[in-house]
């Protein structure tokens, strides 16, 4: 886990709009088009390819970041494991965030690189 | 090739310090430690793994960007193919650049993602 100084949520600040999902709800499906990525604020999500769980993510983790790279379809499905609160980040918001907290850019890039290097599916 | 509006060199601006290498000179070697990446301003460089040429890069392309992700040793050797001028970018300068031109962050991330996805060695 990252320490507090590194927290995506601290970098995000308190003003960002969030979205709530109930346990079991689908956030997006493999094949959906998508232009935003998500920071998990509370609860846990499951990243699925078909029925296989690729990863489980909790607070202060991100998913869907491939949307920043290309606008291809989602390569996995994400389902709320518990009730969750996520902050959706569009490209426009991302650019705003990195202008104000440039370290955000490095953090997202590190997550992306680690996912791609570990050959998890980057969603 | 990228178009002018997308140019790393335009995003960099004109004030950034550069470094010159003669054709045949080594910019860094596989195994070196490194904390900066490079934007090619003029000329061409070869990315080598042992004697194998992985890639040849020219103006407005970047290499060494894995230094932003981790501070592990360089995973390939880079040699000047022609006389070249490169702009070395440290993490500190990168953070300065993304603050002033946030799109720079996305550009670097896209290059990184494409290299990793195409399983070229990201150096």
């Amino acid at each position: 886990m990252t320490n507090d100084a590194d927290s995506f949520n601290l970098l995000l600040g308190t003003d960002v709009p969030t979205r709530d999902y109930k346990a079991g709800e689908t956030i997006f499906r493999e094949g959906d088009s998508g232009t935003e990525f998500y920071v998990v604020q509370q609860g846990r999500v499951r990243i699925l390819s078909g029925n296989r769980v690729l990863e489980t993510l909790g607070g202060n983790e991100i998913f869907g970041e491939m949307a920043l790279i290309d606008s291809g379809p989602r390569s996995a499905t994400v389902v709320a494991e518990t009730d969750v609160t996520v902050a959706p980040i569009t490209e426009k918001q991302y650019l705003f965030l990195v202008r104000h907290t440039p370290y955000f850019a490095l953090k997202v890039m590190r997550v992306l690189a680690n996912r791609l290097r570990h050959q998890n599916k980057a969603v």
Side-chain angles (χ1 to χ4, degrees), chain A:
Chain A
M1 279 292 133
T2 49
N3 62 40
D4 276 355
D6 268 356
S7 164
F8 274 116
N9 284 319
L10 282 186
L11 290 171
L12 269 187
T14 51
D15 285 345
V16 9
T18 59
R19 213 177 282 161
D20 295 323
Y21 294 88
K22 292 281 172 205
E25 270 190 283
T26 298
I27 299 171
F28 58 74
R29 274 173 213 289
E30 195 167 339
D32 283 356
S33 63
T35 56
E36 55 198 17
F37 72 103
Y38 299 84
V39 179
V40 179
Q41 301 216 300
Q42 242 176 349
R44 299 190 68 77
V45 300
R46 276 187 193 151
I47 318 290
L48 301 160
S49 180
N51 290 324
R52 195 162 61 94
V53 178
L54 299 176
E55 219 175 337
T56 303
L57 303 178
N60 194 37
E61 294 188 284
I62 67 173
F63 61 92
E65 71 283 350
M66 282 304 290
L68 289 179
I69 304 303
D70 53 35
S71 31
R74 299 291 189 187
S75 60
T77 295
V78 180
V79 172
E81 180 175 291
T82 64
D83 292 359
V84 294
T85 304
V86 296
I89 314 287
T90 61
E91 175 175 317
K92 192 175 157 195
Q93 285 169 305
Y94 174 77
L95 292 174
F96 176 87
L97 283 165
V98 302
R99 187 189 298 270
H100 290 84
T101 52
Y103 190 60
F104 196 82
L106 268 186
K107 286 269 297 169
V108 172
M109 201 155 77
R110 283 175 180 149
V111 170
L112 176 71
N114 285 327
R115 293 245 169 93
L116 290 167
R117 281 201 286 192
H118 294 111
Q119 299 182 298
N120 294 340
K121 265 190 175 177
V123 289

